[in-house]
Amino acid sequence: MSQAVVQALVARFPGDAYDPYVGPGGDDVVFVRKDRIAEVCRFLKEDPALQFNLAPYVTAVDYLGQEPRFEVVYNCTSTSRGHRIRLRVKVPESDLAVPTVTGVWRGADWFERYCWDMYGIRFPGHPDHRRLFMYDEFVGHPLRKDYPLRGRQPLTPERDVPDLIRGPGPAGRD
Amino acid sequence: MPSAIDIVPAVATRREEATGFFQNLVSKGLGWARKNSLWQYPFVTACCGMEYMSVASARYDIARFGAEVPRFSPRQADLLLVVGTVNCKQAPILQRIYEQLAEPKWVIAFGVCASSGGFYDNYATVQGIDRLVPVDVYIPGCPPRPEQVLDGLMLLQKKVQAQQHKLIDRLPAHPAAGE
């Protein structure tokens, strides 16, 4: 769909943007090295031929059992040029820090907070590095594959009500 | 402390008979008045709110049951309608709202999420608001039909009519105070 974007990117960052392929649905996908993601994003936004001006949809994936375990995915769109690209950044569990792209797109702010909240991936340089959804007392990151299926952490003590399905008492019923 | 059985004499005197008669009369009158003027506090958090609006507006018309006044201050309401999913982050807010409601107060769990957590059987959702506040009527459905809501409201009205009301409701006499 937008092979020119991929070619420009790989030519500009040889070795840092690698393994391009066409994903399902026809989206072009490029892997990017973790420490260069901010530069790649700045290039995508500011190059006059690319103009990726819309804030990306940033999310993360947990490939439990693989190495590197995590992956941060940036879906970028250009409203003026009408093309899209997806960047995949592999993040090993030993070094869960990805440079922030909030300096490039201010709108990436909450997405990066989401990745921190749900997956525990840190974004050094982020202006407001807090959890997005869960409360501050919450321990762990609930969308990780090794988070317990019903790992509930009530914020306030719960009443002791009989539960017809799960049995009595707050302790062992979940 | 003498129990309730000890202080009831074997033969009721005429004076106690009369007191009981008037207490029952007052209780019935207060129950009738309260069940027909349930001022609600809608704690609307999710999509069941659409169904709540449908019940409250002209077609299904909750005003037929005297519950048409939504009060957005818990101090002025006596029926807490928990409409929608309550997650763990909201739990302290719901508990605080419940404590702010003036006595006597009743709670309806509106929809399956408020009743049991529904299909949100996960890390974020309270598995039924009865884990936070005592609930009088549960209305199942995802979302419930307006007819179901009105049925639940009528159930609550029956409950309000049947329970004991006092002219002066002192705090220790209320069952919720013993918790």
Side-chain angles (χ1 to χ4, degrees), chain A residues 118 132-135 138 142-143 147 150-159 161 163 166 173-174, chain B residues 88-92 95 116 118 120-127 129-135 179:
Chain A
M118 294 291 150
L132 182 61
F133 292 140
M134 307 310 292
Y135 31 97
F138 197 85
L143 286 196
Y147 188 83
R150 285 173 182 155
R152 294 192 221 287
Q153 302 178 28
L155 192 49
T156 50
E158 295 191 332
R159 296 171 70 241
V161 287
D163 191 316
R166 302 189 187 92
R173 64 184 163 189
D174 291 327
Chain B
C88 295
K89 206 174 179 178
Q90 285 173 323
Q95 281 174 325
S116 71
Y120 297 111
D121 192 358
N122 59 18
Y123 57 90
T125 309
V126 176
Q127 300 299 299
I129 58 159
D130 50 3
R131 296 191 180 191
L132 305 172
V133 296
V135 178
E179 288 186 356

Side-chain angles (χ1 to χ4, degrees), chain A residues 38-108:
Chain A
E39 286 93 337
V40 168
C41 288
R42 189 162 291 283
F43 170 71
L44 285 179
K45 188 189 179 189
E46 293 179 354
D47 190 272
L50 304 180
Q51 290 183 6
F52 282 90
N53 50 3
L54 191 66
Y57 176 68
V58 184
T59 186
V61 191
D62 179 4
Y63 294 107
L64 184 63
Q66 292 181 25
E67 190 55 42
R69 177 176 164 187
F70 291 99
E71 195 170 276
V72 180
V73 184
Y74 300 77
N75 296 291
C76 308
T77 310
S78 166
T79 52
S80 50
R81 299 280 168 179
H83 48 215
R84 288 183 292 170
I85 195 171
R86 183 180 307 149
L87 310 175
R88 297 172 65 175
V89 177
K90 292 205 170 290
V91 186
E93 199 174 3
S94 54
D95 182 22
L96 289 170
V98 182
T100 180
V101 297
T102 48
V104 185
W105 295 287
R106 193 65 184 84

